[in-house]
Amino acid sequence: MGSEMAEDKFLVISNQESVSLSKVIDGIKAIREKGYEQLDPLIITQASSTSLSSIESSSFDSVVVLCEAVEYPSNELLGLILRVLKPGGTAVLTSNHKSSSPERKLLLAGFLDVHSSGGQSVGAIGKKPSWEIGSSFSLKKTTPVLPKIQIDDDMDLIDEDTLLTEEDLKKPELPKGDCEVGKTRKACKNCTCGRAEAEEKVEKLGLTMDQLNNPQSSCGSCGLGDAFRCSTCPYKGLPPFKFGEKVTLSSNFLATDL
């Protein structure tokens, strides 16, 4: 177990010219509480994107970043930290600034399982995904299995006609209203729908119901009104109308003027 810990490669970076050994140990202890005495980390001060660009990809198990400025590390530097870490490797950001948000920085950089590192300083821990950038794997496509339906040819089928009763086969009777319904409609003896009054008006005018329901004219002027009608016009005295449309009579038409 001790030899495996000693073989782990640690990288410690800071934006300061020099760092104390206690800060380096505190950053490492956030990842490993035991066996850190046997580690031989690589420490880079005044670290920048240029400092990490020469380091090979996936070469460190853990990276500790000692942040002495709110804007440190930059997004570019976090991208390089993600590159130099091995798949599943751990990154730690420590800072003395409460206004900094190390957890947000790690999440935006692509780290997983990000959480607070605890301790006196403000910090966060995140893991690099366990796959390499650019790696690929096949997805297993599952084909849905449809349920099998067995049809028995010997199954007895029901004749739909046998489900109908004699009442269902009878022709329905149309409801009868107050007035008779047929080829010629006329008011019944006790008419309450207004047809009797309409027929009375028609009789007084000397017109048929067909002439009112579908007015026609040989001269073409009957529908314009009395000013355009001749003396023998059957529509004399009626309001203007349009040919092909029913002539509408008001309720007080032919009423006696007082």
Side-chain angles (χ1 to χ4, degrees):
M1 183 70 177
S3 60
E4 291 180 0
M5 290 183 179
E7 290 177 359
D8 288 348
K9 298 183 65 175
F10 272 70
L11 172 64
V12 180
I13 63 175
S14 173
N15 61 323
Q16 298 294 308
E17 294 183 1
S18 60
V19 293
S20 63
L21 182 60
S22 60
K23 288 186 177 181
V24 174
I25 294 176
D26 289 341
I28 295 176
K29 287 174 66 176
I31 304 173
R32 179 162 299 167
E33 295 182 358
K34 297 181 180 179
Y36 59 87
E37 302 90 349
Q38 303 175 11
L39 298 175
D40 185 18
L42 173 63
I43 302 175
I44 302 177
T45 57
Q46 293 182 315
S48 63
S49 301
T50 307
S51 307
L52 272 66
S53 58
S54 59
I55 300 178
E56 295 182 2
S57 300
S58 304
S59 55
F60 286 94
D61 297 284
S62 302
V63 176
V64 178
V65 184
L66 305 178
C67 310
E68 299 295 336
V70 177
E71 66 276 4
Y72 188 84
S74 63
N75 294 334
E76 183 182 1
L77 185 57
L78 281 171
L80 291 172
I81 293 173
L82 191 68
R83 181 183 63 82
V84 301
L85 274 172
K86 296 178 180 179
T90 306
V92 178
L93 301 186
T94 62
S95 174
N96 294 324
H97 299 277
K98 294 184 179 181
S99 59
S100 63
S101 53
E103 295 180 9
R104 182 173 180 271
K105 289 182 178 181
L106 289 177
L107 284 172
L108 294 177
F111 287 89
L112 304 177
D113 301 331
V114 178
H115 59 276
S116 175
S117 61
Q120 297 180 354
S121 60
V122 180
I125 300 176
K127 286 187 174 294
K128 179 181 178 178
S130 58
W131 60 84
E132 286 283 8
I133 297 176
S135 60
S136 61
F137 57 94
S138 59
L139 295 175
K140 294 182 179 179
K141 185 178 180 181
T142 57
T143 304
V145 180
L146 299 176
K148 295 182 179 179
I149 301 176
Q150 295 182 352
I151 300 177
D152 188 1
D153 295 336
D154 298 332
M155 185 183 299
D156 294 334
L157 299 179
I158 299 176
D159 187 2
E160 296 178 356
D161 294 337
T162 60
L163 300 177
L164 298 175
T165 62
E166 293 182 1
E167 294 293 332
D168 296 330
L169 298 176
K170 289 183 179 180
K171 184 179 179 180
E173 295 182 1
L174 296 176
K176 295 182 179 180
D178 291 338
C179 299
E180 297 178 3
V181 178
K183 293 182 179 180
T184 59
R185 303 179 64 180
K186 62 179 181 178
C188 59
K189 182 182 293 186
N190 300 321
C191 177
T192 58
C193 66
R195 181 174 292 277
E197 290 82 355
E199 289 180 355
E200 182 180 357
K201 292 178 182 179
V202 173
E203 289 178 2
K204 290 182 180 181
L205 291 172
L207 298 174
T208 63
M209 289 298 294
D210 185 61
Q211 287 177 309
L212 289 180
N213 294 332
N214 185 21
Q216 302 294 330
S217 174
S218 58
C219 63
S221 301
C222 298
L224 300 177
D226 286 347
F228 302 91
R229 294 168 182 160
C230 61
S231 59
T232 60
C233 181
Y235 296 102
K236 192 78 171 177
L238 294 182
F241 55 84
K242 293 182 180 180
F243 295 109
E245 296 184 4
K246 182 179 179 180
V247 180
T248 304
L249 302 178
S250 61
S251 58
N252 59 353
F253 190 75
L254 294 180
T256 304
D257 294 334
L258 298 177

